């Protein structure tokens, strides 16, 4: 897990603020969703309760009406048996007068005539409206087999009765003359009262729902407000703590190992533990760093000491070289002088063998002189002060090639120099270096009929560098490490002249400029010498 | 617990005594005024009782007014309760006055007459002709025992059918006879002229379905009197004076009479 997390750059991960804000928003949305769900359930509950209430009111009305009509039917039975129509009519009138919900009461005989009605002028009429006919039909459809004691009740309700104020409910019951089914009694019950009760009850329900809704909204608002404030407070404290930790970590990571996380305002135990651990880690790191600093200082001291010693040794060695080289010149000049005297003045006294030996002595002395000169030149390079300026390497290369071409005009050499290769360095030293590199190329292409020398600029391993390339003899790369050593030669003197000082000189000059030099080659396929300057 | 059972038993006995002796308690507190008038167009006995009680509140004595719808009830209670005052049909009092020691005080007057007539009506058939089955049923208010004889004295048999072929159906009120005839429950009905007039106003449909066959001889209007031995003559006279003085009150409309006339037995 730890390794995996390292793969993601910290900058691409979301901030903890995003998580905290998202979490708070998610909680808010969750609360609202739950509230919505809760409210829906409450509404459903109230709606079902309200519906039950309405049904209950309606049923109560039916029960009351049925009870009343049954009682009237009993009286009607008595009245009809005793021809007491006036009593029946009076009863109906009193009932309808006494109960505003009862709009009318009628007794229809089985002959199909109104025999009693709360309005006496209605007595004697024939059934002439749908309700009368519907009620009369019940006589054959529902009550035909009824007995006196059955007290059957039927309701004639039109659809949508509860929706309009003017709807009526007809409560119908059979009327007997003795034991004989004689007719029907029905009363028209106005549902206006029921409707008013329902409207009143509905209003009460709505008021109750509104009250609950107001209460709920108020509580929810207070809850959300307090929740938001608490959330804001906690989030701010958390973010402050996180920022505090973050600042501390950045401070320490920037190198201030003395920095310690404050324990104040960290808010929670985990942050405290983190800060404690971090401070302990910073302390350990600081101790380690201090120890490392000690080691570094000691090392630097030792390096400096060694450098001083080395410089002193180098100086002594150079002085020694110089003095040796210089001191060797005196006897060498004696050897050269006396061998020249011998060659000129005792030429005729020496035989061929003696003359041959004398020539060899003189050649060796001459070669030794060259060696001493090269050694002197090499030792001077280390001591010479550098004069840094802008140097046109292209110009230096062209000058060197021109001189070489003048010295050996018979050679077929094609050379190519990239223009305007400007660097910062010591013009004289860089000239010596280029003389050696181009001179080597000139020398090792001497056996080529068509020699080619190129000086240019290239990019190696992402760094800009300069090269001298030839198509000469090349060398074996196995000995490349010896290439830049003094007096190291990869070819026989009989094949190619040289002292083995040239490339050592090049290496010393380039190193003095803070650069590097290397070569690539293949035997008989030419060589390329690269040097890089800062 | 024992005392509680005793108390409970006592309550039951008290309640039973009230059931067995109706009016006993009320009679102890005041005088009774019993009313029975089946031929009156006033069918609403409740309203009648209420109006009369209001009227009698102005009388010096406490009087309980009780109307009756059925002759049998009225007769039984008159004999058992011995009310102070009675308002009843003339034929009833004529028949029972001695027995119940009834003394008339006032006779009701309607249309300035102290008598009225009854009409014999029959329901019209589909061809506006009177249905005359062989055996007729006749609805009328009760005339007590001997209704047929009394009926015979009231009707001219030549105008109708032989009385021996009549089946009399006694109805509580005169209006019920109209209903019974008009609604086809009976073949003919004997009803008062006043009720016919009244019903022509309130339900002409019913009256239009009836045809008058004959008219009775005059029948005396109901009589108000007192029972000897229950009230004194002075008390009776006081009531008489009170009722005469109340002739302009609205209760007369409730009684469906216009006034009173002196009545001598």
């Amino acid at each position: 897990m730890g390794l995996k997390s390292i793969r993601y750059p910290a900058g691409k991960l979301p901030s903890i603020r995003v998580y905290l804000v998202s979490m708070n928003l998610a909680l808010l949305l969750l609360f609202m969703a739950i509230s919505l769900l809760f409210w829906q359930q409450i509404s459903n509950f109230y709606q079902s309760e309200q519906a039950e209430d309405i049904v209950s009111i309606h049923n109560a009305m039916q029960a009351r009406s049925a009870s009343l009509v049954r009682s009237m039917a009993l009286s009607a039975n008595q009245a009809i048996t005793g021809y007491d129509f006036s009593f029946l009519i009076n009863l109906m009138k009193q009932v309808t007068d006494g109960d505003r919900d009862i709009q009318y009461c009628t007794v229809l005989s089985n002959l199909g005539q109104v025999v009693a009605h709360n309005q006496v002028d209605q007595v004697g009429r024939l059934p002439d409206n749908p309700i009368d006919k519907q009620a009369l039909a019940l006589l054959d459809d529902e009550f035909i087999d009824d007995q006196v004691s059955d007290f059957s009740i039927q309701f004639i309700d039109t659809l949508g009765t509860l929706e309009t104020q003017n709807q009526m409910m007809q409560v119908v019951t059979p009327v007997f003359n003795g034991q004989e089914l004689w007719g029907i009694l029905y009363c028209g019950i106005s549902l206006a009262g029921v409707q008013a009760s329902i409207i009143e009850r509905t209003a009460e329900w709505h008021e109750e729902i509104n009250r609950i809704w107001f209460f709920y909204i108020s509580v929810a608002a207070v809850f959300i407000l307090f929740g938001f404030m608490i959330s804001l407070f906690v989030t701010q404290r958390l973010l402050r703590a996180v920022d505090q930790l973050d600042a501390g970590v950045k401070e320490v990571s920037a190198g201030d190992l003395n920095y310690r996380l404050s324990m104040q305002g960290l808010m929670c135990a985990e942050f405290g533990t983190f800060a404690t651990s971090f401070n302990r880690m910073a302390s350990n790191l600081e101790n380690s760093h201090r120890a490392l600093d000690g080691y570094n200082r000691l090392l630097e001291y030792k390096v400096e000491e060694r450098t001083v010693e080395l410089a002193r040794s180098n100086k002594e060695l150079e002085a020694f070289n110089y003095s040796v080289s210089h001191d060797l010149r005196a006897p060498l000049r004696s050897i050269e002088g006396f061998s020249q005297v011998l060659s000129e003045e005792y030429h005729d006294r020496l035989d061929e063998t003696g003359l041959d030996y004398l020539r060899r002595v003189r050649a060796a002395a001459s070669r030794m002189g060259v060696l001493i000169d090269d050694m002197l030149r090499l030792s001077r390079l280390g001591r010479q002060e550098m004069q840094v300026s802008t140097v046109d390497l292209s110009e230096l290369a062209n000058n060197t090639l021109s001189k070489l071409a003048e010295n050996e005009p018979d050679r077929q050499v094609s050379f190519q120099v990239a223009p305007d290769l400007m660097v910062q360095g010591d013009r004289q030293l860089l000239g010596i270096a280029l003389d050696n590199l181009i001179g080597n190329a000139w020398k090792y292409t001497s056996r080529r009929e068509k020699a080619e020398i190129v000086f240019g600029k290239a990019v190696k391993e992402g760094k800009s560098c300069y090269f001298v390339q030839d198509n000469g003899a090349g060398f074996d790369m196995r000995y490349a490490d010896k290439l830049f050593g003094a007096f190291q030669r990869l070819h026989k003197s009989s094949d190619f002249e040289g002292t083995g000082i040239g490339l050592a000189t090049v290496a010393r000059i380039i190193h003095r400029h803070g650069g590097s030099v290397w070569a690539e080659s293949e035997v008989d396929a030419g060589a390329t010498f690269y040097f890089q300057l800062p | 617990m024992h005392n509680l059972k005793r108390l409970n038993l006592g309550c039951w006995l008290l309640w039973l005594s009230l059931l067995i002796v109706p009016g006993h308690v009320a009679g102890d507190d005041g005088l009774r005024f019993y009313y029975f008038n089946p031929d009156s167009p006033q069918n609403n006995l409740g309203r009648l009782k209420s109006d009369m009680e209001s009227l009698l509140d102005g009388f010096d004595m406490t009087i309980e007014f009780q109307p009756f719808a059925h002759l049998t009830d009225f007769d039984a209670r008159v004999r058992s309760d011995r009310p102070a005052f009675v308002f009843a049909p003339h034929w009833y009092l004529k028949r029972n006055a001695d027995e119940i020691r009834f003394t008339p005080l006032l006779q009701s007057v309607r249309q300035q007459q102290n008598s009225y007539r009854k009409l014999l009506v029959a329901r019209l058939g589909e061809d506006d002709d009177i249905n005359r089955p062989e055996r007729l049923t006749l609805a009328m208010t009760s005339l007590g025992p001997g209704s047929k004889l009394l009926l015979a004295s009231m009707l001219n048999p030549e105008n109708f059918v032989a009385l021996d072929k009549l089946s009399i159906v006694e109805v509580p009120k005169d209006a019920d006879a109209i209903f019974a005839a008009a609604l086809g429950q009976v073949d003919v009905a004997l009803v008062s002229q006043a009720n016919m007039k009244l019903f022509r106003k309130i339900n002409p449909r019913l009256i239009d379905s009836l045809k008058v066959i004959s008219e009775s001889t005059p029948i005396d209007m109901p009589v108000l009197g007192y029972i000897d031995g229950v009230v004194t003559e002075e008390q009776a006279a006081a009531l008489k004076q009170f009722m005469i003085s109340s002739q302009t009150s609205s209760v007369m409309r409730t009684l469906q009479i216009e006034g009173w006339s002196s009545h001598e037995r």
Side-chain angles (χ1 to χ4, degrees):
Chain A
M1 189 67 189
L3 288 174
K4 200 172 181 180
S5 65
I6 289 170
R7 292 178 187 171
Y8 299 100
K12 291 184 178 177
L13 293 174
S15 165
I16 192 170
R17 285 175 169 77
V18 175
Y19 287 112
L20 288 173
V21 171
S22 302
M23 185 184 72
N24 288 332
L25 283 175
L27 282 174
L28 186 64
L29 288 175
L30 189 65
F31 174 77
M32 290 173 74
I34 289 172
S35 300
L36 203 62
L37 199 63
F38 175 71
W39 180 248
Q40 193 180 14
Q41 292 296 317
I42 289 279
S43 294
N44 289 342
F45 171 74
Y46 273 94
Q47 279 175 4
S48 65
E49 287 292 310
Q50 186 181 355
E52 283 181 16
D53 224 7
I54 289 170
V55 170
S56 169
I57 290 171
H58 194 246
N59 288 344
M61 184 67 177
Q62 280 194 341
R64 182 170 77 87
S65 306
S67 175
L68 178 74
V69 170
R70 279 196 188 101
S71 302
M72 289 178 68
L74 284 173
S75 299
N77 292 349
Q78 294 291 322
I80 287 164
T81 305
Y83 290 87
D84 198 351
F85 297 102
S86 55
F87 164 77
L88 190 56
I89 291 167
N90 276 333
L91 174 68
M92 289 180 170
K93 189 171 187 316
Q94 285 176 3
V95 166
T96 52
D97 288 348
D99 192 333
R100 60 187 176 88
D101 286 336
I102 302 176
Q103 298 290 300
Y104 65 88
C105 281
T106 301
V107 174
L108 274 175
S109 73
N110 51 11
L111 297 175
Q113 194 173 16
V114 176
V115 297
H117 195 283
N118 56 297
Q119 292 177 335
V120 70
D121 61 338
Q122 295 292 311
V123 177
R125 71 169 172 81
L126 296 175
D128 53 3
N129 61 56
I131 296 297
D132 289 339
K133 290 172 182 171
Q134 204 174 346
L136 198 58
L138 291 172
L139 201 59
D140 293 329
D141 297 342
E142 299 291 338
F143 304 136
I144 190 69
D145 297 323
D146 274 17
Q147 302 298 316
V148 179
S149 56
D150 285 348
F151 299 111
S152 298
I153 288 288
Q154 289 289 326
F155 296 96
I156 301 175
D157 244 355
T158 51
L159 286 175
T161 291
L162 298 177
E163 294 169 4
T164 45
Q165 291 273 358
N166 298 324
Q167 286 295 335
M168 302 271 285
M169 174 179 69
Q170 279 72 30
V171 188
V172 191
T173 189
V175 172
F176 292 84
N177 186 352
Q179 296 298 320
E180 180 192 355
L181 181 62
W182 189 84
I184 53 168
L185 181 151
Y186 61 96
C187 292
I189 314 292
S190 169
L191 295 175
V194 175
Q195 193 65 23
S197 298
I198 289 171
I199 289 170
E200 186 182 355
R201 201 76 188 101
T202 304
E204 285 175 9
W205 279 114
H206 284 162
E207 191 180 347
E208 182 72 7
I209 287 177
N210 287 339
R211 192 185 62 75
I212 291 175
W213 179 238
F214 177 75
F215 173 76
Y216 181 76
I217 288 286
S218 306
V219 170
V222 171
F223 179 81
I224 287 174
L225 186 65
F226 274 97
F228 177 74
M229 289 170 68
I230 291 170
S231 171
L232 193 67
F233 176 74
V234 172
T235 303
Q236 278 185 336
R237 291 283 304 272
L238 273 174
L239 289 176
R240 204 172 295 144
V242 169
D243 286 345
Q244 188 177 330
L245 293 175
D246 184 50
V249 170
K250 282 179 179 169
E251 194 74 22
V252 172
S253 68
D256 185 2
L257 297 178
N258 291 322
Y259 190 89
R260 294 293 180 271
L261 293 173
S262 170
M263 301 301 287
Q264 285 184 340
L266 287 184
M267 192 174 176
C268 58
E270 286 78 4
F271 286 175
T273 306
F274 175 83
T276 306
S277 301
F278 183 81
N279 286 344
R280 194 179 300 126
M281 184 195 75
S283 295
N284 293 337
L285 200 60
E286 187 184 14
N287 292 335
S288 302
H289 194 261
R290 198 174 291 131
L292 197 60
D293 276 351
Y295 291 137
N296 280 340
R297 276 196 291 276
L298 182 64
L299 198 60
E300 282 174 5
Y301 173 75
K302 286 186 176 178
V303 166
E304 195 176 348
E305 196 177 40
R306 295 287 186 276
T307 304
V308 170
E309 286 177 4
L310 190 61
R312 192 186 308 126
S313 299
N314 280 340
K315 203 168 277 182
E316 287 174 355
L317 185 60
E318 283 175 3
F320 173 72
N321 280 342
Y322 182 78
S323 60
V324 166
S325 303
H326 190 267
D327 290 347
L328 282 175
R329 292 295 286 176
L332 188 59
R333 274 195 294 273
S334 296
I335 293 169
E336 281 183 330
F338 286 113
S339 63
Q340 188 176 359
V341 172
L342 272 176
S343 175
E344 291 174 355
E345 293 184 9
Y346 296 93
H347 179 264
D348 50 352
R349 294 183 206 174
L350 294 175
D351 56 8
E352 282 300 317
T353 304
L355 289 173
D356 182 48
Y357 288 160
L358 186 59
R359 274 196 304 273
R360 290 191 182 191
V361 169
R362 289 193 64 188
S366 175
R367 179 171 173 74
M368 193 174 174
V370 171
L371 279 172
I372 288 169
D373 288 343
D374 288 345
M375 284 180 66
L376 279 172
R377 199 175 298 123
L378 188 61
S379 67
R380 281 193 199 104
L381 288 176
R383 291 176 302 172
Q384 188 177 337
E385 263 319 297
M386 281 182 57
Q387 301 293 323
V388 178
S389 63
T390 303
V391 179
D392 188 348
L393 292 180
S394 302
E395 182 192 352
L396 292 177
N398 281 323
N399 291 341
T400 304
L401 283 166
S402 298
K403 280 189 281 184
L404 291 169
E406 283 175 9
N407 291 336
E408 294 183 71
D410 297 335
R411 282 195 57 182
Q412 295 280 323
V413 178
S414 75
F415 49 87
Q416 188 179 343
V417 177
D420 300 329
L421 299 178
M422 312 296 281
V423 295
Q424 290 293 317
D426 188 298
R427 180 181 176 82
Q428 185 187 1
L429 293 178
L430 289 175
I432 294 168
L434 278 180
D435 283 348
N436 280 289
L437 288 172
I438 294 173
N440 273 350
W442 184 272
K443 182 167 62 182
Y444 289 105
T445 56
S446 59
R447 295 185 180 178
R448 299 289 185 208
E449 286 187 7
K450 290 183 178 178
E452 291 178 3
I453 298 171
V454 179
F455 175 66
K457 189 175 181 180
V459 176
K460 281 286 184 177
E461 296 179 355
K463 291 183 178 178
S464 189
C465 61
Y466 306 92
F467 67 90
V468 177
Q469 191 178 48
D470 64 65
N471 61 343
F475 58 88
D476 193 340
M477 282 298 287
R478 286 181 298 175
Y479 309 111
D481 57 329
K482 297 180 179 178
L483 203 57
F484 297 99
F487 307 113
Q488 296 290 335
R489 304 208 62 220
L490 301 184
H491 298 88
K492 295 178 181 175
S493 298
S494 55
D495 293 336
F496 298 100
E497 288 181 351
T499 59
I501 293 297
L503 289 179
T505 303
V506 170
R508 181 162 294 187
I509 290 170
I510 297 302
H511 288 161
R512 282 207 68 186
H513 278 82
S516 58
V517 61
W518 69 98
E520 293 174 358
S521 179
E522 198 174 331
V523 177
D524 285 336
T528 304
F529 285 83
Y530 297 94
F531 64 92
Q532 183 260 328
L533 295 172
Chain B
M1 189 68 186
H2 186 68
N3 290 335
L4 192 63
K5 281 184 178 176
R6 188 178 293 171
L7 180 65
N8 199 13
L9 182 62
C11 289
W12 272 106
L13 288 173
L14 179 62
W15 186 76
L16 281 173
S17 70
L18 288 174
L19 279 182
I20 293 166
V21 191
H24 186 261
V25 174
D28 290 344
D29 295 337
L31 304 172
R32 297 190 186 91
F33 186 158
Y34 282 1
Y35 172 95
F36 176 64
N37 184 16
D39 290 343
S40 170
Q42 176 54 262
N43 298 319
N44 193 336
L45 298 185
R47 183 181 167 191
L48 176 63
K49 179 176 170 65
S50 172
D51 287 358
M52 281 300 290
E53 282 175 350
S54 297
L55 177 69
L56 293 171
D57 280 345
F59 190 53
D60 292 338
M61 289 176 285
T62 302
I63 298 177
E64 180 198 2
F65 181 80
Q66 180 60 55
F68 288 88
H70 299 276
L71 174 63
T72 50
D73 295 337
F74 173 73
D75 186 51
R77 294 292 290 274
V78 166
R79 293 174 192 282
S80 64
D81 296 348
R82 292 190 60 73
F85 303 101
V86 171
F87 182 88
H90 183 270
W91 55 262
Y92 176 82
L93 297 173
K94 188 177 179 181
R95 187 184 297 161
N96 300 294
D98 292 338
E99 194 176 345
I100 62 174
R101 299 182 67 187
F102 177 81
T103 302
L105 288 174
L106 294 167
Q107 184 170 28
S108 54
V109 174
R110 186 162 58 215
Q111 294 178 335
Q112 299 178 336
Q113 300 287 323
N114 56 2
S115 66
Y116 64 101
R117 290 176 188 272
K118 283 200 161 188
L119 303 175
L120 188 67
V121 296
R123 194 184 188 203
L124 292 171
E126 291 180 356
D127 54 355
D128 284 356
D129 195 9
I130 299 170
N131 294 318
R132 290 190 178 182
E134 287 187 0
R135 185 76 181 175
L136 291 176
T137 51
L138 182 143
M140 59 180 286
T141 53
S142 176
L143 297 175
S147 289
K148 275 192 180 181
L149 291 175
L150 199 58
L151 182 63
S153 68
M154 293 164 60
L155 296 177
N156 181 1
E158 292 176 1
N159 291 338
F160 195 54
V161 293
L163 286 173
D164 55 356
K165 288 185 178 179
L166 276 177
S167 292
I168 295 177
V169 175
E170 290 187 354
V171 295
K173 304 289 292 179
D174 199 51
D176 295 327
I178 297 175
F179 287 126
L183 298 174
Q185 304 299 307
V186 296
D187 301 313
V188 292
L190 187 66
V191 298
S192 67
Q193 278 180 318
N195 266 320
M196 286 293 281
K197 282 184 181 176
L198 179 66
F199 270 84
R200 184 167 293 285
K201 286 180 184 173
I202 62 176
N203 192 342
R205 186 191 296 112
L206 285 179
I207 303 305
D208 289 344
S209 67
L210 299 172
K211 185 174 179 63
V212 177
I213 298 171
S214 69
E215 193 174 278
S216 74
T217 55
I219 304 168
D220 283 333
M221 291 289 283
V223 176
L224 169 65
Y226 67 96
I227 305 296
D228 282 340
V230 181
V231 289
T232 62
E233 286 186 12
E234 290 74 21
Q235 287 175 322
L239 179 75
K240 180 180 177 181
Q241 193 58 42
F242 177 75
M243 294 305 284
I244 289 171
S245 66
S246 304
Q247 286 187 105
T248 55
S249 71
S250 61
V251 76
M252 302 302 282
R253 193 162 53 251
T254 308
L255 287 168
Q256 292 286 325
I257 58 175
E258 294 169 356
W260 305 99
S261 65
S262 295
H263 185 272
E264 297 299 329
R265 191 175 175 186

